[in-house]
């Protein structure tokens, strides 16, 4: 039975993502009606700058008073695409208090206050959907929350930030500079309002927290995620990576401990072999591997940022939430029953690529090797190269380790820095995907 009375939608934010949501809602209105079983009507659009020309949006719908829009009594679903913590958090809470289900793309807010927002949604018998918050267009939240709900996810590893992947890809493939590549990513609408969130890894860490919570049915907050950005990655690092048959990607890695009693969550740049599927993820694409006990390895791949791709995920949620409204039901809420603790980064076990500037004289290699051994870190390969600017005086030493705990590696590096013969630690990068 088709309902003729429309479901009314408040669009909170009409920027890169919101404008595409409005466009698709308008151009695909008939299809959406058929798929939902009722028309969805754009009933109001809240923005900051009302005078800005917005193609395809009836100016009569535009308001700067998002709160009044939510309180006016006829809104069924709110789509929050403002971003940031406030006023988004207060608006979502207001929506729930007024019987309005919410679709949001706001990973920063969900990673920080997801538990409270889920609780508010549940208390009011409403939906909170957020497929677009992680990995843009890629269906990932719903497959993990629903399709894999009967399996046990042990590991998630992937590229979840389009901006940084775009920058790293340009630096690697065209030799572009960091700032030039960041400017291009910003112009294409991939970057956050403050791109520091992208390049310093906060955006990926927020997505990692959300995914870890879903994967391991526990609560993982942004602060629980170890984070390193990609601003320190240099052309020299790419050259080193190339010599090893690798490239460099900013990865999010979430793991259940072997004994199943804890989890780890981290975001950092890492070298990965060129033969690894993540190495060929170009531009602003994202890709995520999910390893589940029964399913095995699954890979999710697609556009990770941008207005239209993200709007696709928002619209998918809109359809789901609208169907739930008509059925007077709600979708799955937060599942955090395992209450697994998040272990510190020191417990993570992986491989490392360490580049040292050392004195070029007898015994240095042995001294360095002994320092690794004293900290229980086993060396896989060592490559020494005299520096063109200091033959007979200085050399570059590149050490690649076997798998070792991060705490042991930190101890090793601390001790190396104290050696007279080590002039500097040029770079430390984890090696993943082998
Ligand atoms: P934009 O900065 O392009 O858009 C933000 C919108 O919010 C603008 O329309 C702005 O109004 C409006 N706004 C800002 N403050 C207020 C306020 N106080 N009241 C009402 N409206 C306000 O951001 P994006 O569209 O890029 O991102 C939106 C959300 O989607 C963020 O959470 C982001 O993290 C997420 N996201 C973005 C992706 C992307 O590729 N861009 C991908 C995945 C998720 P005005 O137009 O007047 O300035
Ligand atoms: N700034 C984010 C990115 C948008 O580059 O991935 C998508 O979440």
């Amino acid at each position: 039975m088709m309902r003729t009375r429309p479901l009314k939608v408040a669009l909170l934010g009409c920027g890169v993502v919101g404008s595409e949501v409005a466009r698709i809602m308008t151009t695909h209105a008939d299809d959406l009606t058929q798929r939902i079983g009722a028309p969805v009507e754009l009933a109001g659009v809240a923005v900051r700058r009302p005078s800005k020309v917005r193609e395809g949006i009836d100016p009569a719908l535009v308001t700067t008073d998002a709160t009044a829009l939510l309180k006016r009594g006829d809104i069924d679903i709110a789509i929050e695409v403002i971003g940031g913590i406030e006023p988004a958090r207060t608006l979502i809470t207001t929506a729930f208090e007024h019987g309005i289900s919410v679709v949001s793309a706001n990973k920063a807010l969900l990673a920080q206050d997801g538990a409270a927002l889920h609780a508010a949604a549940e208390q009011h018998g409403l939906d909170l959907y957020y497929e677009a918050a992680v990995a843009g267009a890629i269906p990932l939240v719903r497959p993990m929350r629903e399709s894999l709900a009967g399996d046990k996810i042990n590991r998630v590893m992937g590229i979840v930030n389009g901006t940084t992947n775009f920058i790293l890809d340009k630096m690697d493939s065209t030799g572009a500079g960091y700032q030039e590549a960041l400017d291009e990513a910003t112009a294409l609408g991939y970057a956050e309002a403050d791109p520091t969130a992208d390049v310093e890894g906060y955006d990926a860490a927020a997505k990692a927290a959300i995914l870890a919570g879903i994967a391991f049915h526990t609560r993982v907050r942004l602060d629980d995620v170890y984070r390193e950005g990609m601003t320190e990655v240099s052309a020299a690092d790419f050259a080193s990576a190339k010599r090893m048959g690798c490239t460099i990607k900013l990865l999010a890695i979430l793991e259940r401990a072997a004994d199943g009693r804890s989890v780890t969550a981290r975001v950092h740049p890492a070298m990965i072999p060129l033969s690894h599927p993540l190495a060929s993820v170009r531009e602003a694409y994202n890709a995520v591997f999910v390893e589940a006990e029964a399913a095995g390895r699954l890979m999710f791949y697609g556009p990770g940022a941008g207005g239209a791709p993200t709007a696709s995920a928002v619209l998918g949620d809109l359809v789901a939430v609208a169907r739930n409204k008509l059925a007077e039901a709600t979708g799955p809420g937060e599942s955090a029953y395992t209450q697994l603790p998040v272990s510190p980064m020191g417990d993570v076990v992986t491989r490392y690529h360490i580049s040292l500037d050392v004195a070029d004289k007898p015994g240095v290699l042995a001294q360095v090797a002994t320092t690794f051994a004293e900290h229980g870190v086993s060396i896989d390969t060592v490559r020494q190269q005299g520096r063109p600017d200091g033959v007979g005086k200085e050399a570059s030493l590149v050490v690649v380790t076997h798998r070792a705990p991060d705490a042991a590696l930190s101890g090793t590096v601390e001790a190396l820095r104290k050696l007279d013969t080590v002039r500097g630690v040029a770079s430390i990068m984890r090696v993943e995907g082998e």
Side-chain angles (χ1 to χ4, degrees), residues 66 70 102 113 119 199 266 372:
L70 295 171
V102 173
D113 288 322
V199 298
R266 53 190 164 120
F372 275 87

Side-chain angles (χ1 to χ4, degrees), residues 89-408:
R89 176 174 47 197
T90 303
L91 291 173
I92 291 177
T93 309
T94 304
F96 291 145
E97 286 163 0
H98 289 78
I100 299 167
S101 282
V102 173
V103 173
S104 174
N106 193 336
K107 54 271 167 136
L109 178 58
L110 283 154
Q112 183 179 301
D113 288 322
L117 294 175
H118 277 295
E122 195 176 333
Q123 183 198 338
H124 293 282
L126 295 162
D127 275 326
L128 171 61
Y129 273 48
Y130 48 91
E131 183 64 67
V134 185
I138 306 174
L140 183 60
V141 169
R142 202 109 37 95
M144 282 176 63
R145 267 204 330 174
E146 298 181 33
S147 316
L148 290 168
D151 208 334
K152 183 179 182 188
I153 297 175
N154 288 320
R155 192 165 192 267
V156 178
M157 170 165 110
I159 296 166
V160 295
N161 183 272
T163 302
T164 49
N165 199 59
F166 185 88
I167 298 170
L168 291 170
D169 179 36
K170 294 284 171 206
M171 285 171 76
D172 191 19
S173 59
T174 70
Y178 163 80
Q179 192 57 50
E180 181 193 343
L182 173 58
D183 290 347
E184 200 179 341
T186 305
L188 288 165
Y190 302 149
E192 294 303 299
D194 175 2
T196 312
D198 297 292
V199 298
E200 293 296 355
Y202 292 101
D203 178 79
K207 291 162 177 169
I210 294 168
L211 288 182
I214 298 170
F216 307 129
H217 298 269
T218 191
R219 209 163 267 167
V220 178
R221 292 167 310 115
L222 184 57
D223 291 347
D224 296 325
V225 181
Y226 174 83
R227 175 198 56 79
E228 271 176 40
M230 48 67 67
T231 50
E232 306 282 306
V233 178
S234 64
D237 291 325
F238 274 110
S240 286
K242 241 171 219 146
R243 275 195 289 274
M244 283 181 59
C246 289
T247 188
I248 299 169
K249 296 288 184 189
L250 186 78
L251 299 182
I253 303 174
L254 321 168
E255 290 168 311
R256 190 191 290 274
D259 66 6
R261 293 200 183 138
S262 61
V263 299
T264 53
R266 53 190 164 120
V267 166
H268 53 72
M271 291 187 182
I272 51 166
L274 291 171
S275 56
H276 193 281
L278 289 180
S280 50
V281 176
R282 307 287 307 271
E283 305 218 319
Y285 278 73
N286 286 186
V288 180
F289 278 98
V290 178
E291 292 178 28
E293 204 168 79
R297 292 183 94 199
L298 308 168
M299 183 176 174
F300 299 83
Y301 172 77
T310 308
S312 164
V314 171
L315 264 294
D317 279 354
L318 175 64
V319 170
V321 170
R323 285 173 178 160
N324 290 346
K325 278 262 171 201
L326 293 184
E328 294 178 7
T330 53
E334 187 190 27
S335 171
Y337 71 94
T338 64
Q339 295 182 21
L340 290 171
V342 183
S343 298
M345 185 61 188
D347 289 3
V348 164
V349 176
T350 188
R351 298 179 67 209
Y352 302 85
H353 174 285
I354 301 125
S355 189
L356 304 169
D357 294 330
V358 297
D360 194 1
K361 61 181 191 185
V364 173
L365 193 55
Q367 214 180 14
V368 168
T370 303
T371 307
F372 275 87
E374 281 169 357
H375 290 83
V377 179
S378 171
I379 292 176
D380 182 17
T381 60
V382 181
R383 187 169 47 78
Q384 180 170 344
Q385 199 175 359
R387 291 166 63 107
D389 51 345
V391 179
K393 290 190 206 132
E394 273 201 23
S396 293
L397 202 60
V398 174
V399 179
V400 181
T401 73
H402 287 294
R403 282 164 59 78
D406 210 80

Side-chain angles (χ1 to χ4, degrees), residues 12-18 46-50 52 54 63-64 66 80-84 87 91 105-108 132-133 136 189-193 203 207 304-307 310:
L12 311 179
C14 190
V16 173
V17 178
V47 297
R48 191 176 32 186
R49 295 166 295 165
K52 189 178 164 197
R54 298 175 201 269
T63 175
T64 53
E80 185 275 306
V81 277
I82 292 175
L91 291 173
N106 193 336
K107 54 271 167 136
Y190 302 149
E192 294 303 299
D203 178 79
K207 291 162 177 169
T310 308

